[in-house]
Amino acid sequence: DVLQVPAFLSRQTDLISDIRANLDELSTRNSQLEREQATNTTFQKDVYPFLIGGRLQGRQYALVMSATVPEEIRDSVVSSINVAGGQVISTTVLDPRFNAGEMAEKINEAMAADPAFRKVDAATAAGWTGEARAPEIARAAEPRLLQLLKGSFVASVSGNYAAPVNGVILLTYADNEQAPAYAEFEKQFVTTLRKSNVRVVAGEITTAPVSEIAIFQNTETSTVDNLDSRMGQISLVFALGGEGGSFGVKQTADMLIPILREPQPLPPAGP
């Protein structure tokens, strides 16, 4: 056994040398990846204003978002629209963890006098709200339903709802605490907008706990799944400008970014 000690120590020395060599190689690779990532980020930042500048000139948009969307993402989206020459004229923030029963009670009480209204319950209130709210946001109309649901489903409203818009941006950030009915609201909301010929783009960030891209794809709504990057914000602008598809880095994406075509003619505002 004593005679085997030198051989054992030699093998240990060789193993340590191999580990150090592997660590050095990994360190070199990581440094290269970090440099490439930094270069890529700088490139996106530098070309960003040239790619989107003026593409949405004179166009007005409504922003509808979950209260769970990080504030910096909202700010980045609004900034992108501004850089592209457009303007977000209204922002509606919704609580995706709402109580469907309370929503139904509010709606039934407020709409009871309307002979055309059909009573809703906890199972149908969210879908009905999505369908009913779409016209309030997309065209010049008094946001009666938005005001009615403030403090429950609607977290806040701001901006100008009296002017029609050229499109709607729907931002989501789904997690396991989101009410299941919220997805039904989103589906009916974008479906109604599309039937009214209002351009709508739905988006989320790469780190969203639960992806909702497939929900919007089923309604043939254009989507962006990486709005936390300049590339995703470029995709949003091009999608609002007329390019259709699912853009981003997740498995649900059709393309990384839209085809960089010339802007399409300005569509009329409102449905």
Side-chain angles (χ1 to χ4, degrees), residues 28 47 54 91 107 116 137 146 158 167 179 234 238-239:
T28 300
V47 303
T91 300
I107 293 171
I137 289 176
L146 296 180
S158 61
I234 291 170
F238 274 79

Side-chain angles (χ1 to χ4, degrees), residues 167-183:
V168 176
I169 306 158
L170 178 61
L171 301 186
T172 72
Y173 185 87
D175 56 27
N176 293 325
E177 296 181 27
Q178 177 171 295
Y182 190 73

Side-chain angles (χ1 to χ4, degrees), residues 26 38 40 48 51 53 59 64 96 101 111 123 136 167 175 211 221 246 258:
L26 286 173
N40 182 44
Y48 162 80
L51 286 177
R59 305 185 191 192
V64 180
M111 304 293 290
E136 287 189 350
D175 56 27
S211 178
T221 299
S246 294

